Amino acid sequence: MRILIVEDDANLNRQLAEVLKEAGYVVDQAYDGEEGHYLGDAEPYDAVILDIGLPAMDGITVLEKWRGDGKTMPVLILTARDRWSDKVAGIDAGADDYVAKPFHVEEVLARIRALIRRAAGHASSEIVCGPVRLDTKGSKATVDGVALKLTSHEFRLLSYLMHHMGQVVSRTELVEHMYDQDFDRDSNTIEVFIGRLRKKIGNDLIETVRGLGYRMQAPGNGN
Amino acid sequence: MRILIVEDDANLNRQLAEVLKEAGYVVDQAYDGEEGHYLGDAEPYDAVILDIGLPAMDGITVLEKWRGDGKTMPVLILTARDRWSDKVAGIDAGADDYVAKPFHVEEVLARIRALIRRAAGHASSEIVCGPVRLDTKGSKATVDGVALKLTSHEFRLLSYLMHHMGQVVSRTELVEHMYDQDFDRDSNTIEVFIGRLRKKIGNDLIETVRGLGYRMQAPGNGN
DNA sequence: AAAGACGAATGCGCATTCTGATTGTCGAGG
DNA sequence: CCTCGACAATCAGAATGCGCATTCGTCTTT
């Protein structure tokens, strides 16, 4: 984990760096707004500690520029001023957390840990099978990057198959998972929907295992 | 957006609720730990304001129980100024932010905005979707730079959709986040407001996913 | 009093789903 | 290699129910 400290008070900067390094982080240091802004843009940090009152460029401005450039790393703001309007400005500019001077260095450490932990939990849930991508969070699917237009049942079917990739899924199993009530087992709806799905995502992806059911798998891949 | 306030000081509770409602949030109020814990478990809030010192059940305990039950909504903790060890305890229990008493209500408002924004994965206070810009700070929206004249419910609807861009949002979800407690679920209000919104921002932006709900997305872009 | 916002009710149009019949395919046994 | 039976795929029409526009009455705001 790599952290950037932007703080003009050399003493405080050094002190923070020490504690963070001790905690196992890699630390870069900047002593004014311009230097800090440049580093934050150029290097991939896992978190930034940013003072508000800085020479060369104000902390809020630095933050706004980063956010404007699409930088999303967590930023912890430091300020000596006890003015609540500064806090509000910092938060609205896209700060993730805030500590008022004077503070305990241990508190900063705890907050950095929390920020990094929180940022890590941002993994998008996506299942990929060959050219097909299933975005379970957004209820979307794409083939070769092109959005698929699926109906609700088609999506449920695809979703179940992709969640059980490589396995043979019986028709009974599919019926039981796609319909909550008891449903006419003698119907061939599943086959109909398999057909429609194949038409939309390509025939090679859903293999039919005669007498057993269906299996989804990336093509050109024996087992 | 729907917010829960857990605070035993009736005066402060009311004050917070007022400001939040004015800002367009739906607010539920609890006055002790047990009531708060129950509500937070039962209803889907977008954020919670939680006091540490509470009758019936301590704030930290409430938070720990929620996290233990898999609740992940952002929680803003209120704490006495000098007890910084409480802050660290709160953070470790899974709090997302804290404010020390006494505070300015505007600061709480700004922090709540930030928490909700961040939970949706947006760094800055502005969310953009094609020609539509949502200014969460000023509770305003524009299309192609032109200010929209939205009613309070229309704005809440647009806001929720934009905070969940790319995701399919069900009618139930929308009702639960736009209205408090009991509301006639068999009504078609959401559809009506979707219609009114589309009339103002254009039809292409809100896609309807039959049988599932609605999805907001920049047009001409499958992803 | 007037205007606007909100939400309930109605009916229509159409995408989606289901059904049943038909056609197509696989594989074992003669 | 051919045939036959079982299973799978396809198709079209029918039925279903979802979403939308619209209207209207109530409530709030000014």
Side-chain angles (χ1 to χ4, degrees):
Chain A
M1 291 295 170
R2 190 164 163 201
I3 296 176
L4 173 65
I5 303 176
V6 190
E7 165 63 62
D8 60 321
D9 179 340
N11 204 34
L12 179 55
N13 197 321
R14 181 188 47 73
Q15 204 179 337
L16 284 168
E18 252 174 34
V19 175
L20 288 168
K21 280 177 188 167
E22 209 164 296
Y25 295 104
V26 179
V27 180
D28 287 1
Q29 296 167 267
Y31 298 88
D32 66 64
E34 264 183 18
E35 187 188 3
H37 172 247
Y38 169 75
L39 279 174
D41 245 2
E43 304 290 330
Y45 294 103
D46 298 287
V48 178
I49 299 175
L50 178 64
D51 193 10
I52 292 258
L54 285 171
M57 191 191 296
D58 183 77
I60 297 283
T61 311
V62 173
L63 179 53
E64 279 170 347
K65 287 200 177 199
W66 282 338
R67 295 311 190 206
D69 291 348
K71 298 278 169 189
T72 58
M73 70 285 196
V75 172
L76 173 67
I77 278 196
L78 307 179
T79 180
R81 307 176 207 171
D82 195 23
R83 303 196 21 164
W84 65 270
S85 61
D86 278 354
K87 302 180 194 175
V88 173
I91 292 168
D92 281 333
D96 296 86
D97 205 346
Y98 167 93
V99 175
K101 295 181 189 176
F103 49 76
H104 297 257
V105 276
E106 288 85 359
E107 190 179 346
V108 174
L109 183 57
R111 290 178 161 273
I112 283 291
R113 264 204 295 263
L115 283 183
I116 290 177
R117 194 178 54 209
R118 206 182 300 148
H122 243 281
S124 68
S125 42
E126 217 179 32
I127 305 177
V128 181
C129 174
V132 182
R133 307 177 81 84
L134 183 82
D135 176 5
T136 56
K137 193 176 162 196
S139 299
K140 280 181 301 190
T142 59
V143 178
D144 294 323
V146 180
L148 276 180
K149 184 152 170 37
L150 296 179
T151 71
S152 135
H153 281 204
E154 286 164 2
F155 183 82
R156 258 185 287 173
L157 177 58
L158 176 64
S159 173
Y160 194 85
L161 288 173
M162 291 194 71
H163 276 93
H164 297 79
M165 261 202 307
Q167 301 173 35
V168 174
V169 183
S170 72
R171 251 180 300 279
T172 325
E173 198 180 338
L174 287 169
V175 167
E176 280 169 353
H177 281 87
M178 289 180 61
Y179 302 89
D180 28 4
Q181 311 284 349
D182 25 27
F183 175 83
D184 183 13
R185 301 266 174 102
D186 299 345
S187 142
N188 69 340
T189 32
I190 295 298
E191 279 143 5
V192 172
F193 278 106
I194 288 279
R196 287 206 207 138
L197 245 189
R198 284 210 254 240
K199 232 171 214 164
K200 294 190 180 179
I201 70 174
N203 287 5
D204 305 337
L205 287 159
I206 303 175
E207 172 192 3
T208 123
V209 183
R210 202 158 248 263
L212 292 178
Y214 300 91
R215 170 167 45 197
M216 181 138 193
Q217 200 139 41
N221 161 5
N223 242 356
Chain B
M1 296 295 170
R2 192 165 161 201
I3 295 176
L4 172 64
I5 303 176
V6 189
E7 166 64 64
D8 60 320
D9 180 340
N11 204 38
L12 178 55
N13 196 323
R14 181 189 46 72
Q15 202 179 340
L16 284 169
E18 255 174 30
V19 174
L20 287 168
K21 279 178 188 166
E22 208 163 294
Y25 295 103
V26 179
V27 179
D28 287 1
Q29 296 168 267
Y31 298 88
D32 65 63
E34 265 183 17
E35 187 186 3
H37 171 248
Y38 169 75
L39 279 174
D41 244 3
E43 303 289 330
Y45 295 102
D46 296 287
V48 177
I49 299 175
L50 179 64
D51 192 12
I52 291 262
L54 284 171
M57 193 191 297
D58 183 76
I60 297 281
T61 311
V62 172
L63 179 53
E64 279 171 347
K65 286 199 177 201
W66 282 339
R67 295 311 188 208
D69 291 350
K71 299 278 166 186
T72 59
M73 73 283 198
V75 171
L76 173 67
I77 278 193
L78 306 181
T79 175
R81 171 171 291 291
D82 48 348
R83 312 204 37 193
W84 79 273
S85 61
D86 275 357
K87 303 174 192 173
V88 175
I91 290 169
D92 284 338
D96 298 85
D97 204 349
Y98 79 86
V99 175
K101 293 181 189 178
F103 49 75
H104 296 258
V105 278
E106 287 85 355
E107 189 180 343
V108 173
L109 182 58
R111 286 170 171 277
I112 284 292
R113 268 202 307 263
L115 282 182
I116 289 174
R117 207 172 61 210
R118 208 179 301 142
H122 302 285
S124 82
S125 65
E126 213 177 36
I127 305 177
V128 181
C129 174
V132 182
R133 306 178 81 84
L134 183 81
D135 176 9
T136 61
K137 185 179 163 186
S139 294
K140 278 178 291 197
T142 59
V143 177
D144 294 322
V146 181
L148 275 180
K149 185 156 167 36
L150 296 178
T151 71
S152 110
H153 281 217
E154 285 164 2
F155 183 81
R156 258 184 283 175
L157 176 58
L158 177 64
S159 171
Y160 194 85
L161 287 172
M162 290 195 71
H163 275 89
H164 296 80
M165 258 199 308
Q167 297 176 39
V168 174
V169 183
S170 72
R171 249 180 301 281
T172 321
E173 198 180 336
L174 287 169
V175 167
E176 280 172 347
H177 287 266
M178 288 179 60
Y179 300 91
D180 50 5
Q181 311 293 63
D182 23 38
F183 177 83
D184 184 11
R185 305 251 169 119
D186 299 344
S187 138
N188 67 343
T189 323
I190 296 297
E191 284 154 37
V192 173
F193 276 100
I194 287 280
R196 290 180 184 155
L197 240 192
R198 283 210 253 240
K199 238 173 212 163
K200 294 190 179 180
I201 69 173
N203 287 6
D204 305 336
L205 287 159
I206 303 175
E207 172 192 4
T208 125
V209 183
R210 198 164 249 261
L212 291 179
Y214 299 92
R215 170 168 44 204
M216 183 141 194
Q217 201 140 39
N221 154 8
N223 254 354

